[in-house]
RNA sequence: AGCGGGGUGGGGUAGCCAGGAUUAACCCGCUGGGCUCAUAACCCAGAGAUCAGUAGUUCAAAUCUACUCCCCGCUACCA
């Protein structure tokens, strides 16, 4: 059997979380979680899948946060990386490699690749003027400078934009500028930086984006527009101590811009994984084999880094890398109408969420509300609705009424059906159609629809049982009742497989209740449509979900309390 | 300001890029009915939307075009 089917290569990646803080649900939904759902789906399809990502840990905001806490940047990111990696495990994110930008493999790969691009003549250096804080001995990115807006007089305008009047600013125009870190007035200082000349890739990038059939509309339009407006050279170096040293001649003391290294991390993480499993050359299958699929899950704020910067870097190596096959870009998950903000306590963080409800509840909910075409809004009311009505009442109840019926009336054995009627066949057909629908949705990264389709399988089951009333038939026509439950049991099995990408532990629990061999996660998608054998004994069913009995107000209070105790421990 | 995305029954969403094979779909809620196997869960029927507005293209527009209003994001050194 082995080797009979050529497996598809699928590299699934997620934008690298920037770990100055723990991610919130909005960070998770479009990137890491979506990537995991997709990866789990492709594994079930039988593809050779690699899910990689890592912590993005360099740059000014990390340095500043470390300074605030009185520790070194490395101490900060060691701690946060460990914490975030643990949390992703609890969220059941099935990374093959969750690495970090401090990884030696990554550092070496970034430096080598940039030197390659440099030797190919796409990188030049140029002097520029930047604000410098003498007190902190640090160059200040625009957003680390505040001052009075020259247009509206707002006292806390940032160096790049005034939040009050919305105007874009030249940092040097700020009245009474001050360093956000220490409050002193910054000076203007000349410095040299290295730039990649993106404009030289305008044509290949345009062709690539136009011809990419998978790319969602938001990513496509945004990217084409960027190119149309004219690609400008982009600095690949920063005057920051905490980062990967720039390898260019004369660039001593400079580090690589975090986004440039983060996107190259997709490659380095693949290399690192393949070395670890003892197949150091295997990474090329994912990055150069033209039949391989590379799938990126990102939030809309970093579309250009994946549709323009990364492809440009890959093209600039001259090595025929695979460019992103799809960049699934989500809009934002808002919280009660506002953007998540740690300081204003708006939002829910991924550590807190798990203290309140099981990971699978969140996973399902987040996919069901995944902001695929527009921003969506988190509210407890909607969360409760999804968990109670969809998971518990529709899906969970169907599974439970079916299995417990088999437990009590058929001695926990899959009953022997008679010849199935056309109505029975129609229901089975309907479930097969749902499974096919799921395949289309997962293939197109339409994960929100997939969550709905999964629930609709429960609806089909509930309708079927209500219509056939096996609880009455069992009194008059035991054999007919047996047929009904046989069919219902097949639907349950299909649900067990189909729910695996979205709710891995619930799916596994169901798989074990059905007493099927091994794990649902090592089985195959086709199992969804393979019937349970007659006489097969199942375990005693227990409800898979519990209804949420509290209300919005109580949940908010619980969260606030939780937050206070967690802060104390931190 | 420029650019991108969005505005769809009371609430939440899909459909729009490739206009019509639908009476504008789905979930929640609401009204009425049914069922009692199941976690007071389930099922059926019904009310409720001229798809932000205006003008246009077309035999045909939620879908394409133009303009207007409102919300979100980005604007290249925040990451």
């Amino acid at each position: 059997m082995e080797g009979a089917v050529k497996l598809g290569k699928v590299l699934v990646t997620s934008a690298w979380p920037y770990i100055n803080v723990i991610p919130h649900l909005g960070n998770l939904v479009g990137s890491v979680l979506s990537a995991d759902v997709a990866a789990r789906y492709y594994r079930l399809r039988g593809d050779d899948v690699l899910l990689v990502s890592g912590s993005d840990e360099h740059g000014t905001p990390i340095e500043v946060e470390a300074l605030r806490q009185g520790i070194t940047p490395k101490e900060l990111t060691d701690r946060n990386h460990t914490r975030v990696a643990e949390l992703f495990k609890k969220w059941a994110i099935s990374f093959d490699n969750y690495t970090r930008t401090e990884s030696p493999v990554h550092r070496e790969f970034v430096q080598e690749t940039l030197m390659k691009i440099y030797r190919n003549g796409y990188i030049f250096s140029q002097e520029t003027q930047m604000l410098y804080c003498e007190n902190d001995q640090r160059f200040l990115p625009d957003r680390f400078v505040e001052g009075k807006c020259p247009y509206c007089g707002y006292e806390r305008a940032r160096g790049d934009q005034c939040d009050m009047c919305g105007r874009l600013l030249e940092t040097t125009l700020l009245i009474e500028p001050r360093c956000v870190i220490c409050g002193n007035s910054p000076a203007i200082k000349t410095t040299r930086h290295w730039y990649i000349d993106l404009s030289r890739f305008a044509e290949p990038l345009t062709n690539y984006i136009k011809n990419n059939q998978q790319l969602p509309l938001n990513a496509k339009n945004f990217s084409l527009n960027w190119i149309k407006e004219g690609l400008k050279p982009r600095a690949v170096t920063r005057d920051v101590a905490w980062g990967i040293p720039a390898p260019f001649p004369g660039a001593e003391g400079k580090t690589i811009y975090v986004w440039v290294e983060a996107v190259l991390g997709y490659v380095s993480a693949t290399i690192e994984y393949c070395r670890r499993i003892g197949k150091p050359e295997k990474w090329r299958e994912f990055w150069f084999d033209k039949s391989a699929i590379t799938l990126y899950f990102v939030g809309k704020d970093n579309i250009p880094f994946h549709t323009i910067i990364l492809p440009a870097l890959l093209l600039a190596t001259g090595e025929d890398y695979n460019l992103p096959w799809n960049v699934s870009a989500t809009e934002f998950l808002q919280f009660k109408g506002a953007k998540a903000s740690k300081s204003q306590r708006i939002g829910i963080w991924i550590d807190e969420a798990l203290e309140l409800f099981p990971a699978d509840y969140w996973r399902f909910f987040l996919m069901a509300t995944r902001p695929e075409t527009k921003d969506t809004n988190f509210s407890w009311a909607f969360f409760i609705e999804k968990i109670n009505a969809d998971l518990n009442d529709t899906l969970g109840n169907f599974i439970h009424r079916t299995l417990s019926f088999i437990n009590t009336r058929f001695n926990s054995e899959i009953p022997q059906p008679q010849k199935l009627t056309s109505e029975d066949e129609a229901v089975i057909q309907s479930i097969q159609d749902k499974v096919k629908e799921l395949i289309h949705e997962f293939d197109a990264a339409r994960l929100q629809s997939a969550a709905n389709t999964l629930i609709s399988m429960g609806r089909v089951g509930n309708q079927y049982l209500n219509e056939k009333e096996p609880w009455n038939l069992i009194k008059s026509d035991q054999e007919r009742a047996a047929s009904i439950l046989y069919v219902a049991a097949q639907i349950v099995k299909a649900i067990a497989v189909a729910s695996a990408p979205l709710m891995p532990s619930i799916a596994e629990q169901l798989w074990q209740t059905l007493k099927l061999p091994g794990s649902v996660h090592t089985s195959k998608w086709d199992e969804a449509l393979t019937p349970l054998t007659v006489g097969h004994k199942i375990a005693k069913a227990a409800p898979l979900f519990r209804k949420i009995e509290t209300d919005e107000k109580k949940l908010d209070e619980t969260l606030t309390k939780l937050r206070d105790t967690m802060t104390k421990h931190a």
Side-chain angles (χ1 to χ4, degrees), chain A residues 61-180:
Chain A
I62 297 268
E63 275 192 339
V64 172
E65 178 63 21
L67 206 63
R68 200 182 64 79
Q69 296 188 22
I71 55 178
T72 66
K74 183 71 163 58
E75 284 167 339
L76 176 74
T77 58
D78 279 351
R79 195 177 70 199
N80 285 1
H81 173 72
T82 308
R83 179 92 183 105
V84 167
E86 272 169 15
L87 282 166
F88 286 159
K89 266 193 194 123
K90 288 189 185 165
W91 276 84
I93 309 298
S94 58
F95 283 123
D96 294 291
N97 188 18
Y98 184 76
T99 183
R100 55 193 293 186
T101 50
E102 274 288 285
S103 151
V105 177
H106 175 70
R107 173 181 300 242
E108 187 191 350
F109 179 77
V110 167
Q111 291 185 329
E112 272 178 14
T113 304
L114 285 169
M115 270 316 284
K116 232 173 247 169
I117 295 170
Y118 180 82
R119 282 193 295 267
N120 288 347
Y122 294 110
I123 288 175
F124 64 91
S125 75
Q126 188 176 303
E127 284 196 340
T128 177
Q129 298 205 314
M130 284 205 61
L131 288 171
Y132 182 82
C133 178
E134 300 284 356
N135 183 48
D136 292 319
Q137 301 199 334
R138 175 191 299 280
F139 279 95
L140 299 172
D142 288 347
R143 293 200 184 182
F144 283 84
V145 182
E146 273 184 5
K148 196 168 172 179
C149 173
Y151 302 103
C152 75
Y154 179 57
E155 290 288 345
R156 300 194 57 190
R158 289 173 298 138
D160 54 345
Q161 184 167 30
C162 173
D163 283 334
M164 189 56 71
C165 66
R167 280 182 206 259
L168 296 181
L169 306 175
E170 286 296 323
T171 311
T172 46
L173 292 180
L174 275 181
I175 301 164
E176 296 162 19
R178 58 187 182 275
C179 166
V180 169

